[in-house]
Amino acid sequence: MGDGTGEQYRAVAVIGGGVIGASWTALVLARGMRVTVSDPRPDIEPVVRAGLRAVAPTLGELGLDVVALVEDTGALVFESDLAAAVADADVVLENVSERLELKQRVWAAVEVAAPGDALFASASSALTATAIGERMRRPERLVIGHPFNPPHLVPLVEVVPGARTDPAVVDRAIAFYRAMGKSPQLVKKEIPGFVANRLQAALFREAVHLVCEGVVTEQELDRIVTGSIGMRWAIAGPFETFHLGGGPGGLPAFLKHLGKSLQEVSWPSLGAPSLDEPTVALLSDQAQHFDATVDQLAARRDQAIVRLMGALRQVPAQAPE
Ligand SMILES: NC(=O)c1ccc[n+]([C@@H]2O[C@H](COP(=O)([O-])OP(=O)(O)OC[C@H]3O[C@@H](n4cnc5c(N)ncnc54)[C@H](O)[C@@H]3O)[C@@H](O)[C@H]2O)c1
């Protein structure tokens, strides 16, 4: 498969076949590439194959070819030996557990066994490319490609270079994720949690505060988010939203009229809860009241994401004249 820049991807090595690795495997197979999964778990093959069967209908709905997800076409192989798994890879996607020492060890081994021009990306959600690449001879080859669960559906991939990452690797990673149908976004500085998870953490902190204070329950808070800011944010992010909130004067007018109260009233009143034992017990207890099992909720979410993406595709990228 090409990325529009002339680069061809035929073989992808997926290192770590857990939640994220299995999801990348599904997407890469559905985009017509060969995948080698490397994971020491003894039951990795049945687990990944069951995962692929489970997500095949959703990817099929998106118009992708899912034959290789449900039949043994030879496009998917499992190879527990890391060096053998990456030996002919065009791209290495690492999704092993989030432990620095493990990721450093894996990448030091990958770089000596993979072809010299293979693209290297780690899905790490918090560890940086600078830290992960510390034991590599050529850390300039490594970049973070941080997806959102499930990566076969959610469009964003945060592409975060380390201190030594070659800018050409960043460009190649962005082109690769685009070729996979993703919306890659360059994050220019390494910062803990990158961008989307920091935003999520900020909102979650206040959500925990509101539930702990008894202002709303978890279920009520979730309905508030999905029925208001969540729905809007799929179309216009926080800045565009407030740009629209400022009337014809846009964001400058919004900041002029409401900035003072935001700074003096709203921001100082935000909570800073701690996840101590009673708080965790309260949050866990309320989580018993969701109206379905985790699997059922995940299936409903995935179906809704597919339909939402279809609906968003109908909206013109440019505002009407
Ligand atoms: N789960 C999420 O929502 C999410 C989202 C974005 C990024 N991430 C990141 O993706 C990575 C994987 O997360 P996950 O949620 O899939 O974890 P997971 O625990 O589901 O999967 C990790 C897999 O790595 C395997 N593994 C361990 N050592 C290995 C080795 N030496 N070689 C190959 N495989 C090995 C494990 O057997 C396991 O199957 C982490 O860096 C995580 O931060 C996770």
Side-chain angles (χ1 to χ4, degrees):
M1 168 163 208
D3 65 5
T5 65
E7 190 149 8
Q8 292 295 316
Y9 306 109
R10 289 165 301 269
V12 176
V14 169
I15 312 304
V19 173
I20 297 301
S23 177
W24 273 136
T25 299
L27 183 65
V28 168
L29 283 172
R31 294 254 167 214
M33 288 165 267
R34 284 187 284 119
V35 179
T36 303
V37 174
S38 187
D39 191 310
R41 265 184 76 163
D43 59 348
I44 193 67
E45 178 160 358
V47 168
V48 169
R49 287 199 188 277
L52 297 180
R53 281 193 298 277
V55 303
T58 318
L59 285 174
E61 244 182 273
L62 287 174
L64 298 180
D65 180 354
V66 296
V67 174
L69 280 69
V70 291
E71 287 174 25
D72 193 355
T73 60
L76 173 63
V77 293
F78 292 82
E79 174 55 73
S80 57
D81 183 82
L82 185 60
V86 300
D88 75 342
D90 300 313
V91 182
V92 180
L93 299 178
E94 173 269 303
N95 323 275
V96 303
S97 322
E98 187 79 354
R99 297 202 319 268
L100 180 59
E101 189 277 331
L102 172 65
K103 286 192 191 274
Q104 286 179 335
R105 187 158 38 88
V106 163
W107 278 111
V110 166
E111 80 165 339
V112 294
D117 59 352
L119 174 64
F120 290 171
S122 169
S124 169
S125 26
L127 300 168
T128 60
T130 302
I132 295 171
E134 244 161 42
R135 288 201 219 156
M136 292 174 74
R137 292 182 205 163
R138 292 182 52 209
E140 63 272 21
R141 294 187 67 186
L142 182 66
V143 70
I144 300 291
H146 175 234
F148 283 80
N149 197 29
H152 65 272
L153 286 184
V154 180
L156 180 69
V157 180
E158 291 175 317
V159 176
V160 195
R164 289 160 299 191
T165 307
D166 181 346
V169 171
V170 175
D171 292 345
R172 289 177 69 204
I174 288 175
F176 169 71
Y177 290 120
R178 260 198 206 118
M180 306 253 296
K182 302 279 95 185
S183 300
Q185 174 60 53
L186 173 64
V187 174
K188 292 190 276 296
K189 287 184 179 176
E190 283 184 323
I191 182 167
F194 312 133
V195 175
N197 276 342
R198 288 179 75 89
L199 294 171
Q200 200 162 235
L203 186 77
F204 192 62
R205 179 162 74 174
E206 184 59 18
V208 169
H209 172 69
L210 291 168
V211 169
C212 287
E213 290 298 308
V215 179
V216 279
T217 65
E218 286 180 2
Q219 287 72 24
E220 289 164 349
L221 185 132
D222 280 359
R223 272 199 300 278
I224 287 172
V225 171
T226 53
S228 62
I229 51 181
M231 184 179 273
R232 252 179 1 197
W233 283 342
I235 296 128
F239 285 106
E240 189 175 335
T241 295
F242 284 164
H243 188 55
L244 301 181
L251 188 66
F254 176 87
L255 292 174
K256 193 158 173 234
H257 295 308
L258 292 172
K260 201 166 170 345
S261 104
L262 205 56
Q263 184 167 329
E264 292 177 3
V265 182
S266 303
W267 284 349
S269 80
L270 292 176
S274 114
L275 286 176
D276 53 21
E277 226 173 277
T279 306
V280 170
L282 174 79
L283 298 177
S284 305
D285 177 52
Q286 291 198 16
Q288 305 299 319
H289 303 300
F290 288 106
D291 60 3
T293 65
V294 169
D295 282 350
Q296 288 166 336
L297 291 170
R300 185 169 79 190
R301 175 203 59 191
D302 291 357
Q303 272 179 9
I305 289 177
V306 170
R307 286 178 199 165
L308 182 62
M309 290 196 315
L312 290 174
R313 271 198 297 273
Q314 315 285 319
V315 180
Q318 299 283 323
E321 296 284 312

